Amino acid sequence: MTSATTTGRLGRVWSQLVGQEPAVDILAAAAESATALVSGRTDDHGAMTHAWLFTGPPGSGRSVAARTFAAALQCLVDGGCGECQGCRTALAGTHADVKVVAPEGLSISVAEMRALVQAAARRPTTGHWQIVIIEDADRLTEGASNALLKAVEEPPDRTVFLLCAPSDHPDDVSVTIRSRCRLVNLRTPAPEPIATVLVERDGIDPERARWAASVCGGHVGRARRLATDDSARERRAAVLRIPLGLRRAEDVFRCADELIATAEADATEESKARDEAEQDALRTAMGSGGTGKGVAAAKRAADAAVRALEKRQKSRATRTQRDTLDLALVDLAGFYRDVLVQASGASAALIHPDFAEQSRTAAREWGAVSALRRLEAVLACRDAIGWNVKPRIAVEAMLTTLREG
């Protein structure tokens, strides 16, 4: 079944999910059952349940699937029209009964989860359901997982939990929470539907869209950024020039400096304007600039609140920096995988087809065994950073191995 056929039959809101027809069928059936429940036509939950777990590789659209499903559940017309107020506000993140937890730091705390669970226990105010979307559920602390488990075990009426995680492995989601959720596996979209979406929805030139779709690794959001952002294209190209550019020992430290500096610049660029706006808004809300009695106490309270906000912003910047660096490492891993493909003579599609000549050259120079050692070094670097090893130390150790083979 094609995406066009599926969305045409089920409603426009499902066009948000690119190349995920099996998942759309599951979610649309659940939304239909939910509509029947809300209207009182039946008391049989059918395909609908109170907790869902969306899994899939990066870029498959886990959070998009959760938001789209939330829109279908809150739809005021036909379970996903995409045009009513319920659909539009749910997709935009402004619906009063759709709460989204998107961790800005490295984890989701127990205090944050307890507050969310308490809010989720209320009856919906404007929509059909009280919906809680937890993006990056794999970042839940142990305490936060326990707080969520209590709510999932005894769910309030008309409350739905939508969790997003890379997999249903116990390292990502606890076994007890997983056992109470319905699993929806998402797949990596093929380049063709990604290119179609870039052209039809974003108005991108077809040739540029096809190129971006072919090199994005199945990540729709990254394809859009590569197609529209010159600096993103240059950063990717700079990363992919590293493998054949490690000729001398000093190249290790030069490339490490560039990788770390790029990640820090991205984090600073993304955070600066947002941080200042958040601090100004908080000071205003706390009475900054006021006159009269109580001003000194209000200022002390405002300063304390700003310090707490700055701590959260620092954690968010750290995560942004690590995410940017991880994207570079994923690109590097893809290059060495392409080298293995070229060295073995396999017919598998290349992750970086526009760097095919470079990976072919590397395959001739290194051979499969050396390429595999280099790939393992990149993956080990990702693991090390995930375990809070200083990024610079992890990157320099990786680049040393990449140079020596």
Side-chain angles (χ1 to χ4, degrees), residues 288-305:
S288 178
T291 58
K293 295 181 178 180
V295 169
K299 184 179 185 302
R300 286 194 298 272
D303 289 343

Side-chain angles (χ1 to χ4, degrees), residues 47-72:
M48 183 59 187
T49 188
H50 72 285
W52 297 75
L53 175 60
F54 297 88
T55 66
S60 58
R62 299 185 297 258
S63 60
V64 173
R67 290 174 185 265
T68 300
F69 186 37

Side-chain angles (χ1 to χ4, degrees), residues 37-271:
L37 278 171
V38 170
S39 64
R41 297 198 305 269
T42 180
D43 57 1
D44 180 8
H45 281 68
M48 183 59 187
T49 188
H50 72 285
W52 297 75
L53 175 60
F54 297 88
T55 66
S60 58
R62 299 185 297 258
S63 60
V64 173
R67 290 174 185 265
T68 300
F69 186 37
L73 292 176
Q74 302 289 25
C75 182
L76 303 175
V77 182
D78 65 356
C81 70
E83 298 178 351
C84 70
Q85 184 179 10
C87 285
R88 287 187 285 105
T89 54
L91 291 173
T94 57
H95 196 292
D97 295 323
V98 179
K99 298 172 178 60
V100 180
V101 180
E104 296 181 333
L106 300 178
S107 63
I108 302 174
S109 69
V110 62
E112 185 177 7
M113 185 52 57
R114 283 173 178 165
L116 184 70
V117 168
Q118 186 177 18
R122 302 172 187 148
R123 297 282 296 177
T125 56
T126 61
H128 301 309
W129 302 86
Q130 188 75 255
I131 300 175
V132 177
I133 299 174
I134 303 177
E135 298 182 1
D136 299 327
D138 53 307
R139 294 179 185 265
L140 289 167
T141 63
E142 184 178 355
S145 292
N146 291 335
L148 175 62
L149 176 60
K150 292 179 181 178
V152 175
E153 284 180 327
E154 300 176 3
D157 188 34
R158 292 288 180 87
T159 297
V160 181
F161 294 93
L162 308 179
L163 282 62
C164 307
S167 75
D168 62 345
H169 190 277
D171 287 346
D172 288 333
V173 180
S174 72
V175 174
T176 48
I177 290 178
R178 162 67 185 90
S179 66
R180 288 160 176 80
C181 297
R182 183 171 181 186
L183 182 64
V184 178
N185 283 312
L186 302 178
R187 60 194 182 187
T188 299
E192 292 78 9
I194 295 177
T196 299
V197 166
L198 294 181
V199 173
E200 296 180 355
R201 189 172 68 193
D202 301 311
I204 294 171
D205 174 74
E207 183 176 352
R208 174 66 60 81
R210 284 191 294 271
W211 170 81
S214 71
V215 302
C216 70
H219 196 303
V220 181
R222 188 168 192 218
R224 185 181 299 110
R225 188 171 185 182
L226 286 171
T228 58
D229 188 342
D230 290 339
S231 61
R233 291 193 291 273
E234 177 51 38
R235 282 196 296 271
R236 172 181 174 271
V239 167
L240 294 177
R241 286 194 292 266
I242 288 176
L244 295 179
L246 295 171
R247 301 296 184 185
R248 300 167 299 176
E250 55 263 36
D251 292 335
V252 168
F253 300 100
R254 175 182 56 80
C255 290
D257 285 341
E258 291 175 357
L259 283 173
I260 299 297
T262 297
E264 291 175 346
D266 263 17
T268 300
E269 180 182 349
E270 183 174 323
S271 302

